[in-house]
Amino acid sequence: MVVAEGFWADAEDLTALGTGHGNSVVTLYVHAGIAAADIICCARLGRYSSSGNHADALLLLQQAAPELKPSLQRLVSVKSSAGYGVESMSAKKITEARAAADKLMTAARMV
């Protein structure tokens, strides 16, 4: 949980300070959500996806907590554009990424 909390806290800090580039903030929320999904899968299934393929992680989360799969899917869908794109993530994208990561983080904190 330490890694997920670290990504989450860094994203929140950058947002609060107003110093984070949108892509950096979204990338941190993406990583927080992915780490949180891994925690949920470990707690409920005894394993997580280590393949590096996000489709595998989505399949496992579908088994562990199907209600959270859309949140992880939303984060995975913006991962490349946030991490490698040249256009800055909009305020709407930041808000959506935060909401998706928040659902996963809340669930991970409760397992």
Side-chain angles (χ1 to χ4, degrees):
M1 193 69 201
V2 171
V3 172
E5 292 288 2
F7 286 130
W8 175 263
D10 290 348
E12 293 286 279
D13 288 348
L14 286 176
T15 300
L17 292 170
T19 59
H21 187 273
N23 293 40
S24 299
V25 173
V26 170
T27 297
L28 289 166
Y29 283 132
V30 167
H31 287 294
I34 290 170
D38 287 345
I39 291 162
I40 294 162
C41 289
C42 281
R44 296 188 180 169
L45 303 174
R47 62 193 174 105
Y48 69 98
S49 174
S50 60
S51 71
N53 182 341
H54 295 305
D56 294 341
L58 287 163
L59 286 173
L60 277 181
L61 190 60
Q62 175 67 35
Q63 295 171 26
E67 72 281 4
L68 295 172
K69 182 182 176 188
S71 295
L72 182 59
Q73 207 157 22
R74 177 171 287 124
L75 292 171
V76 168
S77 74
V78 298
K79 184 178 183 218
S80 290
S81 57
Y84 308 112
V86 294
E87 291 186 33
S88 183
M89 294 280 111
S90 67
K92 180 180 178 186
K93 290 281 187 189
I94 295 168
T95 300
E96 289 172 351
R98 185 187 187 281
D102 185 46
K103 285 182 184 180
L104 290 158
M105 290 295 294
T106 298
R109 289 176 183 126
M110 296 188 332
V111 294

